[in-house]
Amino acid sequence: MDIVQMLVVLAVLVLLVKPLGTYVYHVFSNEQNRLDRVFGGTERLIFTLIGVHKREGMGWKKYALSFMATNLILVAFSYVILRLQHALPFNPNGMGSLEPTLTFNTVISFITNTNLQHYSGESALSYFSQMAVIMMMMFTSAATGFSVAIAFVRGITSKGKTLGNFFEDFVKAHTRIFLPLSFIITLVLVALQVPQTLDPTLTVKTLEGAMQQIAIGPVASLESIKHLGTNGGGFFGVNSAHPFENPNPLTNVIQILSMWALPAALPYTFGLFAKNKKQGWVVFSAMMCLFLVFLSVAYTSEKTGNPAMSALGIDASQGSMEGKEVRFGIAQSALFTAVTTAATTGTVNNMHDTLTPLGGLVPLGEMMLNVVFGGKGVGLINMLMYAILAVFICGLMVGRTPEFLGRKIEPREMKLIAVAILAHPFIILVPTAIAFMTELGHGAITNPGFHGISQVLYEFTSSAANNGSGFEGLGDNTPFWNISTGLVMLFGRYISMIAMLAVAGSLMRKQTVPETIGTFRTDNKLFAALLIGTVLLIGALTFLPVIVLGPIAEFLTLR
Amino acid sequence: MNRNKTNNALSAGALKQAVRESFIKLNPAVMIKNPVMFVVEAGTLIVLLMIVFPRLFQSQATMGFNIAVFFILLFTLLFANFAEAIAEGRGKAQASSLKKSKQDMSANKLVGEAVTVVSSTELRKGDVVIVSQGEMIPGDGEVIAGLASVDESAITGESAPVIKEAGGDFSSVTGGTRVVSDQIKVRMTSEPGQSFIDRMIALVEGAKRQKTPNEIALSTLLISLTIIFLIVVVTLAPIASYLGIELEIPILIALLVCLIPTTIGGLLSAIGIAGMDRVTQFNVLAMSGKAVEAAGDINTMILDKTGTITFGNRMASDLVPVAGSSIESLSEWAAISSLMDETPEGRSVLEWAKKQGMSYDAALAAGGEFVEFKAETRMSGMDLADGRRVRKGAVDAVRKWVAAQGGDIPPDLEQISNTIATLGGTPLAVAVDNRMFGVIYLKDTVKPGMKERFDQLREMGIKTIMCTGDNPLTAATIAREAGVDDFIAEAKPEDKIAVIRREQAEGKMVAMTGDGTNDAPALAQADVGLAMNSGTIAAKEAANMVDLDSDPSKIIEVVAIGKQLLMTRGALTTFSIANDIAKYFAIIPAMFMLAIPEMGVLNIMNLGSPLSAILSALIFNAIIIPLLIPLAIKGVAYKPMSGSKLLSRNVFIYGLGGVIVPFVGIKLIDFAVHLWI
C-alpha cells in the first residue's frame, strides 16, 4: 500500500508537469494570449498604480538591481511591522514586539524564501504580522525567485539584449500564478477542515474539566501559499504536523503536490523557452532520478526502523514512528520529507530530528545538492548551472569549445559559475566549523555525538539552501544562531542569483553556434546521466566528509 | 619532408634537461602560475616544517609517516613539472635546429648604387640587399628584381629548391634560406628580431605562450574545485574535534592533495604546449594556441579547387573517336602528337595510353619535328619525317585546320566536344592532315583520397565549400566527384570574404587556405586562415597559421589536431575528477577508523591499515601524473565520428575508467605499502 500511495502521488505530479509548465510559459513568454483577457485589466491597473508604464526590457544588471531593491524595501517594511506589532491592529492575543536579532532572522528568512523559523507562530506573532509580513513575503519571495528563474531562462535561450522586465514578471507571477492558485487551494483546504478565521485563540474546557488554549487563525490561506511558494513557514510551530495545518492524508497529498508541482513544471517551461521540449524533459528526468534515489533511501530507512528501539523490545513492525504522525504513517511522511527538502520548501509533517540516521541524510543531502527540483526557480537555475558545468567538462571531450544551447562557455561564464559553486559549500561548512569552535554554537546542541553534528549541519544547510526546515532539537533562538543563519540565508539566496543572472546576461549576447552532427547534444539520455554524474561528483563529494561524521557515523554505530 | 626529425626528441640529453627543469620549476614564484600545484607545494612545505621542527608541532610520533608524505608530495610536484618540461623540451629541440639557420650573417646592402657589406642585424625594414648564389638571405623580404632558386629546407624540410622571382605570388623569401642559383635583389620586410624565423623560434620554445580562453576557463574551474576542497579539509578539523577526533595535519594535507584536481592541474600546460607542438611537427606554424583550438571548432571549410582538391593539371581521362575512326588509331595518333610534348596534358595522354594498354609505333615519330603550342594556333603536334602532320588542340582550331586542307568534318564532332564541355572537361581534337580522328577528354583530376576525407569531415559535422574560378558546370562536376557539400564557381577574391562573412553571421567558424595577396583579406577574416609558405608575405601576415610544406589540404589535419587538443584536456579533466571517488573511499575510513571502528565498513577496498591507505592514495595520486604524460603529449586517440559517438566513447574510457582505475591502482599500491605499515 505504501508504494502505491507514493506512486499515485508521483503519477499525478508527472501528469501535472506538462499543463502547468505550458501555463507558466504562456504567462512569461510575453506573447499575446487569452490570459491577457482575464488578467490584463488588473495588471494594467497595478502597472499604472506603481508607475511602470512602458515595461522596457532590462539588462542583467538592471534586472538584478530591480529585484534587489524591491526585496530591500520589503525587508525594511517587514522589520518595522514585526518590531511594532504590539501597537498594530489584528492582535487579539496581545503579542509583544519581537527581539531585534530574531526579527532580523525572521525577515531575512522569509524574504529569501527560506522560512527558517526561530519563533513559534502561535505564541510570537499577531494575526496582522502573520498576514502582512509572513504571508506577504511568502508571495513576494516566491514571485522574486520565479521571476529571476524566468529571466535566467530567457537569457540562455534567446538572443537579444534584455532578460525581460522584472516588475512585469513580478506582478504577473502574483496575478497569474500565486494568487489564483492559492485562492483555489485555500478553499479546498477550508473544505477539508483547515481553519481560516481572525478570531482569537479559543479557550475550551476539556473532558477532564481542565482549561485548554486552542490556537487558531487564518491558517488555510497561509498553508496554501506556504506550499505553492515553497516557503514552508508554518502558522504553528510544529508546521504541517499540526492537525489544523494538515488534518488528514488528503490535505497531506494536496500540500505535497502544491509545493512540488511548480518546481517540477519549470524544467518543462524551460524546454518550451528553449524550443526543445526534450531539453526540458532531460533536466526534469535528471531531477527525478536523483529524487527517486533519495525517496527510496528515506522510505526504506524509516520502514526498517531504529535498531536501538528494537533492542529495547519496542515493536518496530511499523517502522520508525518516533516523531511521525499516525495519520500519515511511514509512506506519507517519507514522501513529504523527500519532497519538502527537494523543493526546498521546508515545511515538515514529521520531525526530521527523529528520522533514522539515513532517513535524516535524505533531507540533508537534497538541500546540499539544492538541485533536486529545488525551490521556486532557484532549483532550475542551479540545475542549469550544473548543466553548464557538465557541458564544460564533458563537452571538451567531443573536441570542441563547450557550448550549451548553442552558446560557447568561456572564461567569463566559468568565473561567475565559480562564484556560485564556491558559495554553497562555503556558507555551509565554514559556519558549521565556527559553530563547533565556539561555546555559543555547540552549546545549543541537544544531542551530543554524531547526531549533534547533523543538527548543526542541518541548520546551516537548510539556511544556505533557503529551505527552512529545521532539524529542530537545536536551541536556536539565540543571537548567535539568529545572526549566523540570517547571514547564511542572505548569501545563499543572493550570491548565486546575481551570479547566474550575470551568466545569463553574458550568454544572451553571444552569437549562437549552429548545431551540427559534431555538436555535443544536451537533450538525450547520455546528457541526463552526465548531469547526474556532475551533480554527484561536484555537488555531493564536497559534503561527503561531514556527512560521514554526521549521519553515516550515526548509522554505522547504531547498527 | 622531415616529419620524423623531432620524434626522437626524448633523447637522454632532453630527459636530463627536463629533470633539471623540474627542480628549477619548484620555485614558488613560478609555481604560483599553477594554483592547483601551488597548493600542493604549500602543503609540502608545511609537512617539511613538521619534519624539521618536530617539537614545535609535537609531531615526533609520526615522523616516519610525515617523511613519507613529504617525499610523495615532492614527487607529485616534480612529476607535474617534469610533464611541462618534457613538453617544452620537444619545442626547444626544434627551436635549436631553427636557430642554427639564424646565425649572424653578412649582407650586401645596396646603398644608392653601391654595395656595402653589413651585419644582418643592422638591416632595417625597407633596406634592399643583393643575394647571390651560395649566400644566405639575411632576413624576410620580397624579391624586387631577378629570379633565383632558393633552398628553403631549413624551415620547410623540403630539399628541392623553389623558384623565387620578382612580382606575382612567388616573390616572398624567408631569412635563413639559401640562394642556390642566380642572383636576386630583396627588399627587407621585417625588422631584425621580428622575422618569420624569430617568431617561429619564440612559438616553438613556448616563450610567448599565452593561455587560451578555453585554458583560462578550465583553470577557473580547477581553481574553484581546489578552493572548495580547501574549505572542506580546513573545516573538517574543528567539526571532527567536536567528536574528540584530532586529525593530524599531514593526514589533512594528504586528503586535500588527493581531492584537488592535481592530475589535470599538473598536466594542463603540458597538454597545451604539446598540442601546439603537434601542429609544428606537422610543419604547420600556428601563430597562437588560440588558433589551434579554433581549428577544433571549425564548422565550415573553404577550399580552393586547384591544388587543394584537384591536382590542378588537366589530364586525359578518356579518348572518344569520331565516326569512321577507331579508338586504336585515335590513341596512336594522340600518343604520337604528345611524344615530345612536355606539358602535363601531353604527358597524361601517354600515361592514359599506357594504362589502357594501347600500343603505338614510336618509330613513326623518328626524325619528326615537334610543333609547340602557340596562343595563335592553339595546337601542338608533330611534323613526321614522312611529311604527315599530326596535330592536337582546341576543337575549333583543329577543325579549321582540317577544313583548310579540304578535309571532312565528322558530323558527331560537335556533339562529342559539347558533351565533354558540359561534364566540365576540356575537349582536345586530334587530326592528321585532313582527317579528324577524335577527341581527347581532358579533365581536372581530384586527388586520390579526397572524397574519403570529405566524408570524414561530414561525419565531424564540418561543411566543405569548394572555391573555383571555373564555370558553374565544371565546378559542379568536380564538386560532385570530390564530394564537397557546396561550391562557388567563377569565384572572385571578394566572393570568398562574402561567403566567410555569411557563414560567420550564422555563428559558424570558418577555415580557409590561401597563398595569394588577394587571399589576404579572406585569410584575415576567417577564424582559421592557413597560408602557404610559398605564398606572399601579405597572405602569411594575414593568416594565423602557415604551412611550411605549402600543402593546402593539410587544413584538414589541423582541424583534427585542434579537436584532439580539446579532447585531451576534457578527457584528463574528467579522469581527474572521477578519481576522487576512490580516493575518498581510501582516505575517509582511514582517517576516522581509529576513533570510530565501525567506519571500517567503508573501507571497501580492504586496504591494509589506515596509514597504508592514506599513503597508497597519495602515491597513486603522484604516479598517475607521469603515467599520463605520454597521453597528454600525444593526445587522446581521435577518429572522425559524430559528436554523440565520440562523447559516449570518451565518457566510457575516461569517465568510467577514471572511477575504476584508482580503485585498482590504490589496492595494488597498498599491497606493497602495507608490507611496511
Side-chain angles (χ1 to χ4, degrees):
Chain A
M1 266 315 281
D2 282 0
I3 309 282
V4 177
Q5 280 183 48
M6 293 190 281
L7 283 181
V8 168
V9 178
L10 279 166
V12 175
L13 176 90
V14 173
L15 288 176
L16 280 173
V17 164
K18 204 172 157 180
L20 207 55
T22 314
Y23 178 79
V24 174
Y25 171 75
H26 286 306
V27 169
F28 292 108
S29 68
N30 290 343
E31 287 156 8
Q32 293 274 330
N33 54 44
R34 272 172 296 168
L35 291 173
D36 293 341
R37 257 183 283 161
V38 187
F39 301 104
T42 328
E43 283 163 7
R44 269 192 298 278
L45 188 72
I46 297 172
F47 290 136
T48 319
L49 221 63
I50 59 176
V52 185
H53 301 290
K54 285 209 199 106
R55 303 195 292 284
E56 282 164 344
M58 298 172 169
W60 78 266
K61 280 182 198 149
K62 200 166 174 198
Y63 203 100
L65 214 62
S66 305
F67 93 78
M68 294 283 285
T70 309
N71 283 4
L72 192 69
I73 292 167
L74 295 175
V75 163
F77 169 80
S78 305
Y79 187 88
V80 173
I81 290 187
L82 290 186
R83 298 282 288 141
L84 301 177
Q85 66 171 354
H86 54 279
L88 292 166
F90 300 113
N91 189 6
N93 299 324
M95 303 295 182
S97 163
L98 235 54
E99 184 264 329
T101 63
L102 181 60
T103 314
F104 166 79
N105 187 279
T106 305
V107 169
I108 298 294
S109 168
F110 280 85
I111 197 67
T112 56
N113 200 255
T114 312
N115 298 19
L116 189 74
Q117 291 166 295
H118 285 181
Y119 65 93
S120 208
E122 64 268 46
S123 58
L125 295 187
S126 71
Y127 290 168
F128 184 73
S129 299
Q130 289 274 23
M131 291 188 293
V133 174
I134 303 303
M135 274 177 62
M136 178 278 284
M137 286 226 200
M138 281 183 169
F139 277 100
T140 52
S141 67
T144 304
F146 228 72
S147 303
V148 172
I150 293 291
F152 178 76
V153 167
R154 281 193 196 117
I156 63 171
T157 56
S158 69
K159 187 166 160 41
K161 288 196 176 63
T162 86
L163 298 174
N165 181 297
F166 169 72
F167 300 108
E168 183 176 5
D169 293 342
F170 187 67
V171 169
K172 276 182 171 178
H174 283 102
T175 53
R176 300 192 183 193
I177 296 176
F178 294 116
L179 284 169
L181 282 180
S182 43
F183 185 71
I184 297 167
I185 302 282
T186 306
L187 291 186
V188 173
L189 289 179
V190 169
L192 291 167
Q193 317 273 299
V194 179
Q196 174 74 12
T197 173
L198 289 177
D199 290 346
T201 300
L202 301 176
T203 309
V204 293
K205 199 176 205 172
T206 62
L207 289 174
E208 296 110 39
M211 297 303 279
Q212 190 185 353
Q213 304 272 317
I214 297 180
I216 50 169
V219 183
S221 57
L222 186 133
E223 280 308 293
S224 61
I225 187 60
K226 171 178 111 183
H227 292 107
L228 282 169
T230 64
N231 292 291
F235 193 93
F236 303 107
V238 294
N239 215 307
S240 279
H242 194 288
F244 285 175
E245 286 203 16
N246 191 3
N248 54 52
L250 187 55
T251 55
N252 196 51
V253 169
I254 289 172
Q255 296 191 353
I256 288 175
L257 287 173
S258 50
M259 66 175 143
W260 197 7
L262 278 171
L266 266 184
Y268 187 82
T269 309
F270 159 67
L272 291 176
F273 269 105
K275 298 194 177 55
N276 181 352
K277 287 182 203 161
K278 262 174 88 186
Q279 184 71 66
W281 284 116
V282 161
V283 173
F284 176 84
S285 45
M287 290 172 166
M288 193 46 121
C289 287
L290 287 167
F291 177 82
L292 289 178
V293 171
F294 280 117
L295 177 63
S296 323
V297 173
Y299 176 71
T300 40
S301 174
E302 294 310 306
K303 192 75 189 169
T304 314
N306 185 339
M309 298 288 255
S310 312
L312 293 174
I314 297 168
D315 174 29
S317 60
Q318 277 194 32
S320 171
M321 282 302 288
E322 184 194 357
K324 295 190 181 60
E325 298 295 305
V326 181
R327 64 184 186 282
F328 301 134
I330 297 288
Q332 292 272 345
S333 301
L335 185 61
F336 200 97
T337 294
V339 172
T340 188
T341 44
T344 70
T345 307
T347 170
V348 291
N349 80 344
N350 64 86
M351 292 301 115
H352 290 180
D353 199 19
T354 57
L355 289 170
T356 55
L358 289 188
L361 172 62
V362 167
L364 198 53
E366 282 183 320
M367 293 187 298
M368 282 168 170
L369 297 185
N370 206 9
V371 295
V372 188
F373 297 106
K376 274 292 121 345
V378 182
L380 179 69
I381 297 183
N382 281 337
M383 196 51 142
L384 292 176
M385 179 189 82
Y386 277 104
I388 294 176
L389 274 176
V391 161
F392 185 78
I393 298 170
C394 304
L396 278 173
M397 285 198 287
V398 301
R400 295 176 61 86
T401 304
E403 60 212 28
F404 183 54
L405 304 174
R407 288 156 174 84
K408 288 206 166 115
I409 312 299
E410 287 169 309
R412 186 178 155 76
E413 290 78 49
M414 285 312 293
K415 280 176 192 154
L416 290 164
I417 289 177
V419 172
I421 58 169
L422 272 175
H424 197 57
F426 186 88
I427 58 176
I428 292 177
L429 294 177
V430 172
T432 304
I434 293 173
F436 282 114
M437 285 192 289
T438 61
E439 178 54 35
L440 284 174
H442 62 72
I445 300 171
T446 52
N447 289 61
F450 310 122
H451 197 79
I453 292 197
S454 303
Q455 282 185 336
V456 175
L457 193 60
Y458 194 103
E459 184 77 1
F460 284 114
T461 309
S462 176
S463 307
N466 297 135
N467 177 287
S469 66
F471 218 39
E472 304 306 339
L474 197 66
D476 53 15
N477 184 12
T478 65
F480 172 83
W481 288 100
N482 284 339
I483 292 170
S484 63
T485 54
L487 291 174
V488 169
M489 288 186 278
L490 209 55
F491 295 136
R493 176 94 167 164
Y494 294 106
I495 290 178
S496 74
M497 267 190 175
I498 293 169
M500 296 315 284
L501 268 186
V503 169
S506 160
L507 288 178
M508 177 178 66
R509 284 191 301 272
K510 287 198 181 177
Q511 168 78 49
T512 51
V513 180
E515 195 175 289
T516 67
I517 187 170
T519 308
F520 172 21
R521 298 198 68 87
T522 54
D523 57 358
N524 53 22
K525 279 185 218 134
L526 179 62
F527 186 70
L530 289 175
L531 187 52
I532 295 173
T534 311
V535 167
L536 291 179
L537 271 178
I538 293 181
L541 282 189
T542 312
F543 297 105
L544 194 68
V546 273
I547 283 185
V548 164
L549 280 183
I552 292 184
E554 191 185 356
F555 166 72
L556 291 174
T557 48
L558 210 62
R559 285 192 314 164
Chain B
M1 257 178 279
N2 56 349
R3 211 166 282 164
N4 299 326
K5 179 176 70 180
T6 48
N7 280 0
N8 53 5
L10 284 179
S11 60
L15 274 177
K16 213 184 273 172
Q17 174 69 18
V19 170
R20 200 164 58 225
E21 288 278 322
S22 318
F23 282 93
I24 296 170
K25 284 171 189 278
L26 283 178
N27 178 358
V30 180
M31 210 60 155
I32 193 125
K33 284 183 202 146
N34 185 345
V36 180
M37 297 316 286
F38 184 76
V39 169
V40 178
E41 183 160 48
T44 314
L45 284 178
I46 294 174
V47 180
L48 180 65
L49 286 177
M50 296 183 73
I51 296 170
V52 181
F53 307 105
R55 248 179 282 159
L56 205 64
F57 295 90
Q58 289 153 7
S59 57
Q60 299 98 323
T62 54
M63 188 57 110
F65 177 75
N66 292 359
I67 292 176
V69 170
F70 169 73
F71 276 105
I72 301 169
L73 291 182
L74 182 65
F75 272 97
T76 312
L77 290 168
L78 290 175
F79 288 149
N81 289 347
F82 182 72
E84 195 180 71
I86 278 281
E88 283 172 350
R90 288 161 67 94
K92 278 189 183 136
Q94 225 161 356
S96 68
S97 81
L98 281 170
K99 275 182 187 156
K100 283 189 196 125
S101 59
K102 208 202 142 253
Q103 302 131 351
D104 192 24
M105 53 188 116
S106 56
N108 305 315
K109 185 177 164 189
L110 205 60
V111 184
E113 288 302 303
V115 172
T116 42
V117 177
V118 297
S119 160
S120 62
T121 51
E122 291 169 31
L123 290 174
R124 292 288 174 271
K125 202 169 169 178
D127 287 352
V128 176
V129 295
I130 290 181
V131 193
S132 313
Q133 186 172 347
E135 290 175 353
M136 286 266 204
I137 298 172
D140 291 0
E142 194 179 354
V143 181
I144 51 171
L147 178 152
S149 50
V150 178
D151 173 10
E152 295 198 319
S153 59
I155 49 168
T156 63
E158 177 65 63
S159 54
V162 287
I163 302 292
K164 296 286 179 182
E165 57 181 328
D169 285 348
F170 297 97
S171 63
S172 82
V173 287
T174 313
T177 57
R178 188 179 296 277
V179 172
V180 287
S181 75
D182 304 294
Q183 191 185 56
I184 43 175
K185 212 186 265 183
V186 178
R187 183 192 292 125
M188 293 293 113
T189 52
S190 69
E191 299 286 346
Q194 291 166 16
S195 72
F196 192 62
I197 286 216
D198 290 314
R199 271 189 291 161
M200 194 161 158
I201 291 170
L203 279 168
V204 290
E205 272 191 328
K208 278 171 73 182
R209 210 179 85 85
Q210 284 181 326
K211 279 190 176 176
T212 63
N214 177 261
E215 253 180 309
I216 296 171
L218 184 54
S219 305
T220 311
L221 175 66
L222 298 181
I223 294 168
S224 349
L225 289 177
T226 305
I227 301 175
I228 289 177
F229 286 121
L230 202 59
I231 297 170
V232 169
V233 171
V234 169
T235 54
L236 192 57
I239 297 175
S241 75
Y242 173 72
L243 297 172
I245 304 171
E246 293 309 324
L247 295 170
E248 302 282 346
I249 292 174
I251 292 181
L252 287 173
I253 291 174
L255 176 66
L256 175 65
V257 171
C258 281
L259 293 182
I260 62 176
T262 48
T263 312
I264 180 67
L267 293 172
L268 188 59
S269 65
I271 295 170
I273 298 169
M276 285 281 282
D277 189 48
R278 275 200 299 281
V279 176
T280 320
Q281 278 185 53
F282 207 63
N283 264 1
V284 171
L285 189 57
M287 299 304 168
S288 67
K290 203 176 160 186
V292 180
E293 280 174 18
D297 284 347
I298 291 303
N299 302 93
T300 305
M301 207 179 263
I302 297 177
L303 298 161
D304 278 325
K305 184 200 80 173
T306 311
T308 309
I309 298 173
T310 66
F311 284 109
N313 306 319
R314 292 172 305 171
M315 303 221 252
S317 79
D318 201 5
L319 264 60
V320 189
V322 290
S325 72
S326 67
I327 180 79
E328 286 80 16
S329 54
L330 170 62
S331 111
E332 174 157 34
W333 290 119
I336 286 170
S337 74
S338 309
L339 270 179
M340 293 171 73
D341 186 354
E342 284 304 310
T343 63
E345 289 90 342
R347 266 177 293 171
S348 77
V349 171
L350 296 180
E351 268 164 37
W352 183 86
K354 205 167 144 195
K355 225 164 50 192
Q356 302 291 317
M358 295 289 182
S359 61
Y360 53 89
D361 185 3
L364 268 175
E369 197 185 326
F370 179 63
V371 178
E372 256 190 78
F373 178 87
K374 283 200 191 79
E376 310 91 78
T377 60
R378 294 198 285 146
M379 293 188 293
S380 67
M382 178 92 78
D383 289 346
L384 300 183
D386 61 7
R388 280 187 288 181
R389 294 185 299 167
V390 189
R391 291 289 184 275
K392 69 168 195 290
V395 175
D396 56 330
V398 176
R399 186 172 48 200
K400 273 188 205 146
W401 184 72
V402 169
Q405 300 174 76
D408 289 332
I409 305 302
D412 53 350
L413 177 71
E414 173 121 16
Q415 191 227 324
I416 292 171
S417 53
N418 279 351
T419 314
I420 292 172
T422 354
L423 288 172
T426 312
L428 282 189
V430 178
V432 180
D433 292 335
N434 60 358
R435 176 148 183 230
M436 188 71 88
F437 278 87
V439 180
I440 303 170
Y441 177 1
L442 284 183
K443 188 167 90 170
D444 201 354
T445 325
V446 173
K447 287 182 179 175
M450 287 313 273
K451 197 172 168 57
E452 289 71 30
R453 296 172 103 178
F454 291 137
D455 288 343
Q456 286 180 355
L457 286 175
R458 203 165 299 117
E459 272 176 53
M460 289 152 71
I462 296 171
K463 176 178 157 191
T464 43
I465 301 179
M466 182 182 83
C467 238
T468 170
D470 293 342
N471 64 53
L473 267 178
T474 314
T477 310
I478 296 285
R480 197 167 46 240
E481 222 171 285
V484 294
D485 298 310
D486 201 356
F487 64 88
I488 322 162
E490 289 166 355
K492 295 180 287 296
E494 310 87 89
D495 293 342
K496 272 192 195 170
I497 303 192
V499 173
I500 294 173
R501 292 221 172 105
R502 186 190 73 205
E503 296 285 312
Q504 285 175 337
E506 289 170 22
K508 295 180 184 168
M509 303 270 280
V510 185
M512 72 161 282
T513 57
D515 52 9
T517 299
N518 53 18
D519 282 332
L523 281 170
Q525 178 74 35
D527 299 287
V528 174
L530 177 66
M532 301 297 106
N533 190 42
S534 59
T536 60
I537 298 271
K540 284 196 264 185
E541 290 282 332
N544 47 16
M545 288 189 201
V546 177
D547 177 19
L548 302 176
D549 297 335
S550 304
D551 171 8
S553 59
K554 263 202 210 160
I555 184 93
I556 299 171
E557 275 80 13
V558 172
V559 167
I561 293 175
K563 284 196 179 295
Q564 206 187 17
L565 170 62
L566 293 172
M567 275 166 48
T568 309
R569 216 175 265 158
L572 291 181
T573 307
T574 309
F575 185 85
S576 186
I577 297 176
N579 274 345
D580 277 4
I581 300 179
K583 291 176 191 164
Y584 261 130
F585 274 105
I587 297 186
I588 294 284
M591 283 173 97
F592 303 128
M593 238 151 74
L594 283 181
I596 314 165
E598 289 88 346
M599 285 284 177
V601 217
L602 295 181
N603 181 8
I604 53 169
M605 282 182 272
N606 201 16
L607 302 176
S609 70
L611 290 185
S612 152
I614 293 169
L615 288 182
S616 302
L618 210 51
I619 292 173
F620 175 84
N621 191 57
I623 61 167
I624 196 72
I625 296 176
L627 289 181
L628 289 174
I629 289 178
L631 185 70
I633 287 186
K634 279 196 205 119
V636 302
Y638 173 61
K639 279 191 216 100
M641 54 175 99
S642 76
S644 305
K645 269 193 221 158
L646 207 55
L647 182 67
S648 323
R649 181 173 163 272
N650 285 336
V651 165
F652 182 76
I653 299 177
Y654 299 101
L656 208 58
V659 174
I660 295 166
V661 166
F663 277 106
V664 179
I666 293 174
K667 180 68 194 166
L668 288 178
I669 296 169
D670 179 68
F671 278 131
V673 175
H674 185 47
L675 293 178
W676 285 283
I677 45 171

